Amino acid sequence: MSLLADAGHNLSDVLGLAGAWLAQVLATRPSSARFTYGLRRSTILSALANATILLLVTGGIVWESVLRLFSHEMVQGEIISWVALVGIAVNTVTALLFMKGASNDLNIRGAFLHMAADAVMAFSVVIAGLLISFTGYTIIDPIMSLIVSASIVAGTWSLLRHSLDLALDAVPAGIDPGAVQTALLSVEGVSGLHHLHIWAMSTTETALTVHLLCDPAHPVSPDRIIASAAALLRTQFDIAHPTFQLETQPSVCDTHQPCC
């Protein structure tokens, strides 16, 4: 069961890698009349699907492992250890391939964390196989599979939460809406703002829309306000897809509505 738990994790990772690769390809497709933002969000959906599938597979392994705790099955510890050693080598090499892009892309980070976790889990399976070989206690197998499964859930929960947040248009982690609002209010010619929305277009791109109230006491050309605000968002918050609506008086927009 411990080897099956690790193998199930590896299978889900292969599917996750395929999904991550497909999402990256789709994200590069240009926008169209129907998909005006292109298919960038597919990277978020890939990360979410990756985490969901992994948790479902792990749940099945946990169920079977609990049943095995009460029924003693013959287990060959040597075979478990040798197969797990192969898994360590494959997972380590694969994880290294994703290390470079894991710091700034949730989609790639999900793949990297799974490969790295697989290498660690495979090592624990090697230990389990050796213990079974020397002690003959087959109950070590389901116990180790439960430990592996718990580690998988712990490592996957963060990916699931972050990808679900992005899928629900939450403000991406690392961006403080209050800081964005303060920065926009510092732009020359801006006296107020409302309807500020920040969301992820993909796992690496962030979009923003906001209504800016122009200061009548210090008139500045609209082009200058937009250019200054866009440059500020790009340099300080890495927001490269802003949309601004300039207003000369609050009555132009109904600020009591969530959007206008």
Side-chain angles (χ1 to χ4, degrees):
M1 284 307 302
S2 59
L3 190 59
L4 182 60
D6 192 43
H9 190 189
N10 285 330
L11 175 60
S12 67
D13 281 344
V14 170
L15 297 177
L17 289 174
W21 172 79
L22 177 60
Q24 292 293 339
V25 173
L26 293 176
T28 61
R29 295 184 61 180
S31 59
S32 63
R34 184 178 182 185
F35 297 98
T36 55
Y37 276 123
L39 299 176
R40 294 177 175 86
R41 188 169 286 257
S42 58
T43 58
I44 298 175
L45 298 179
S46 173
L48 179 60
N50 194 358
T52 302
I53 293 173
L54 184 56
L55 290 177
L56 290 175
V57 171
T58 303
I61 296 298
V62 169
W63 175 260
E64 185 65 25
S65 298
V66 171
L67 295 179
R68 289 289 183 95
L69 288 174
F70 304 99
S71 62
H72 301 289
E73 301 284 345
M74 293 299 297
V75 178
Q76 295 180 317
E78 297 87 352
I79 295 178
I80 291 177
S81 296
W82 281 112
V83 175
L85 281 173
V86 176
I88 291 176
V90 173
N91 289 318
T92 300
V93 172
T94 308
L96 292 175
L97 295 176
F98 286 95
M99 181 180 294
K100 183 178 180 180
S103 59
N104 54 13
D105 189 330
L106 182 66
N107 190 34
I108 296 179
R109 189 179 76 179
F112 167 74
L113 288 178
H114 281 179
M115 294 298 104
D118 277 349
V120 175
M121 294 303 103
F123 178 75
S124 66
V125 174
V126 171
I127 301 301
L130 293 175
L131 290 175
I132 293 173
S133 298
F134 286 108
T135 65
Y137 294 136
T138 57
I139 197 173
I140 294 174
D141 181 41
I143 291 175
M144 181 57 70
S145 68
L146 289 175
I147 294 174
V148 171
S149 298
S151 300
I152 292 172
V153 172
T156 305
W157 188 253
S158 176
L159 176 65
L160 177 65
R161 180 169 56 86
H162 289 151
S163 58
L164 185 59
D165 285 346
L166 296 184
L168 294 175
D169 288 336
V171 177
I175 297 179
D176 180 5
V180 173
Q181 178 172 330
T182 301
L184 288 173
L185 289 174
S186 70
V187 174
E188 183 182 5
V190 175
S191 61
L193 62 84
H194 53 271
H195 292 318
L196 173 63
H197 302 282
I198 308 170
W199 73 97
M201 296 175 59
S202 70
T203 54
T204 57
E205 298 173 285
T206 304
L208 173 148
T209 59
V210 64
H211 295 199
L212 299 177
L213 182 61
C214 299
D215 188 356
H218 300 85
V220 178
S221 69
D223 290 341
R224 182 175 175 182
I225 292 177
I226 292 175
S228 298
L232 182 149
L233 292 174
R234 183 174 56 254
T235 56
Q236 292 192 20
F237 304 99
D238 197 24
I239 298 176
H241 296 272
T243 301
F244 306 103
Q245 178 170 317
L246 303 185
E247 300 169 0
T248 57
Q249 53 185 349
S251 60
V252 172
C253 178
D254 184 356
T255 57
H256 296 289
Q257 297 296 324
C259 293
C260 68

